[in-house]
Amino acid sequence: AKAKKARARNPLGSSEKASLRIQAIVIDILTSAEFGMTKRRLAHILTFWGFTAYIIATVVMVFGYPTPDIATPAWLPAIWYLGAAMVMVGGYWYWFFMRVDVAREGNPRLRVVHADMFVVSLVLSVTFGFVWGLTQASGGGGWSNLFLALYLLATTLLFAGVPWSKFSHMFYKSAAAMQRRIEEAEG
């Protein structure tokens, strides 16, 4: 970092750096611009924004409407289901149609490696949660309990596996995008 700073031909002030950081957040991070206009970008956006809506709706429903005597507004579960559907469309689309061609590398098509843990556990967690919600709403009885157990198991794996999964790349790639914009502007 010191060597790059010493080579900078156009040192930037703090307000210019702040502007570049905001650009990185809006352009590179929130819209996944690094993927260009590709199917992978669309799958990533669906999964990212779906998970964001899903997790926010979950937190609001759990902590804002914790008891049956406080009615949950109808739009909130709708946001939850929409977010879950977006995660499933983006996640399954990526997993089954766009994932690196493992067969070309001589590996089985459904081979799962360490880096896949986050995507697999995320999609399974959301899928089981979605199906659990549907079975619970339709009075599914024993099926509802089965999908609740599968949802809790997949969600536990999702969050327990964070230190070993691809989850951390969200933070690293964000910081790298900001740093790249600043270094390019400084020359």
Side-chain angles (χ1 to χ4, degrees), residues 15-26:
S15 63
E16 294 162 317
K17 287 181 181 179
S19 174
L20 289 170
R21 286 185 180 104
I22 290 169
Q23 287 176 20
I25 290 168
V26 172

Side-chain angles (χ1 to χ4, degrees), residues 20-104:
L20 289 170
R21 286 185 180 104
I22 290 169
Q23 287 176 20
I25 290 168
V26 172
I27 296 168
D28 298 328
I29 299 165
L30 298 180
T31 65
S32 305
E34 71 183 81
F35 295 123
M37 295 306 295
T38 63
K39 293 176 185 177
R40 186 173 178 187
R41 180 181 186 183
L42 182 56
H44 197 271
I45 288 171
L46 284 169
T47 306
F48 173 78
W49 285 109
F51 184 65
T52 301
Y54 174 81
I55 208 75
I56 289 171
T58 300
V59 169
V60 170
M61 286 191 295
V62 168
F63 296 107
Y65 305 94
T67 60
D69 57 313
I70 304 173
T72 304
W75 58 268
L76 201 50
I79 297 289
W80 187 85
Y81 279 108
L82 177 63
M86 288 170 66
V87 170
M88 290 186 296
V89 168
Y92 286 121
W93 186 20
Y94 168 75
W95 185 260
F96 290 111
F97 300 108
M98 289 183 284
R99 193 165 161 244
V100 174
D101 187 3
V102 294
R104 188 174 293 165

Side-chain angles (χ1 to χ4, degrees), residues 2-12 182-183 186-187:
K2 287 180 184 180
K4 286 183 181 182
K5 191 172 185 172
R7 288 191 311 257
R9 293 186 301 264
N10 183 27
L12 302 175
I182 291 170
E183 288 177 0
E186 288 182 329

